[in-house]
Amino acid sequence: MTDLARSPAAFATTDLSDAYPEAQILAPVFSDYGGSPRFSGPAVTLRVLENNPLVRSTLEMPGLGRVLVVDGGGSLNCALLGGMLAQFGVQNGWAGIIIFGCVRDSAELRALPIGIRALAVHPRRSGKAAEGESGGAVTFAGVTIQPGDQIYADQDGILVLPGQ
């Protein structure tokens, strides 16, 4: 990995894309909802469908500058993340959150110093069943993300490099 990819504060996904033609780039289907438009870190993966207790319990753990990547099945039926859970992410040191699904409390999210990408907003909260999977590969937006893969997100897109 070059210095370009090792310096998270200075990266640009356009430069990384040029330097790493093998990089995976998520399809441009995500909108920016967080207060930090640029974020990066190793991926922590979850797979949930319309229930968010696993999202909450993960964000309550130390983030250590990682990025939570949630495969919500692309559901547009409810939000998997809102202001309270995003605040846990900020308090516990998560760099960012990517949700293949919806968020809510968008004004609160925008005020928080964390990167958040999602498909859309939805006012309905998720279910509270403790269902889902943690730590496996997730595939959405044309990309497969493994736990530990390096995520880079900025105003130009979301790029994934293999973990070390």
Side-chain angles (χ1 to χ4, degrees), residues 4 31 44 107 160:
L4 184 64
S31 294
V44 172
V160 181

Side-chain angles (χ1 to χ4, degrees), residues 14-160:
T14 52
D15 293 339
L16 289 171
S17 176
D18 292 348
Y20 299 96
E22 71 281 8
Q24 299 185 86
I25 299 172
L26 278 72
V29 296
F30 293 90
S31 294
D32 181 1
Y33 295 102
S36 297
R38 178 187 311 261
F39 61 93
S40 66
V44 172
T45 59
L46 302 178
R47 183 177 295 111
V48 300
L49 184 61
E50 299 180 4
N51 290 282
N52 73 354
L54 190 54
V55 175
R56 179 186 179 127
S57 65
T58 303
L59 289 171
E60 288 175 333
M61 297 186 313
L64 307 171
R66 297 175 294 174
V67 175
L68 180 59
V69 179
V70 180
D71 180 355
S75 173
L76 301 178
N77 295 324
C78 64
L80 293 173
L81 178 83
M84 185 172 67
L85 297 191
Q87 184 63 45
F88 290 146
V90 171
Q91 291 169 351
N92 292 312
W94 290 86
I97 305 165
I98 299 171
I99 306 265
F100 188 56
C102 295
V103 297
R104 69 185 206 163
D105 304 325
S106 61
E108 290 178 49
L109 300 181
R110 179 70 61 207
L112 294 173
I114 189 170
I116 300 171
R117 298 291 196 285
L119 296 178
V121 292
H122 199 293
R124 181 171 290 129
R125 69 180 180 179
S126 75
K128 300 305 173 196
E131 300 173 348
E133 299 174 25
S134 176
V138 295
T139 301
F140 57 81
V143 168
T144 297
I145 300 171
Q146 302 282 346
D149 281 354
Q150 198 65 30
I151 306 293
Y152 297 90
D154 67 9
Q155 298 88 334
D156 290 314
I158 304 169
L159 183 138
V160 181

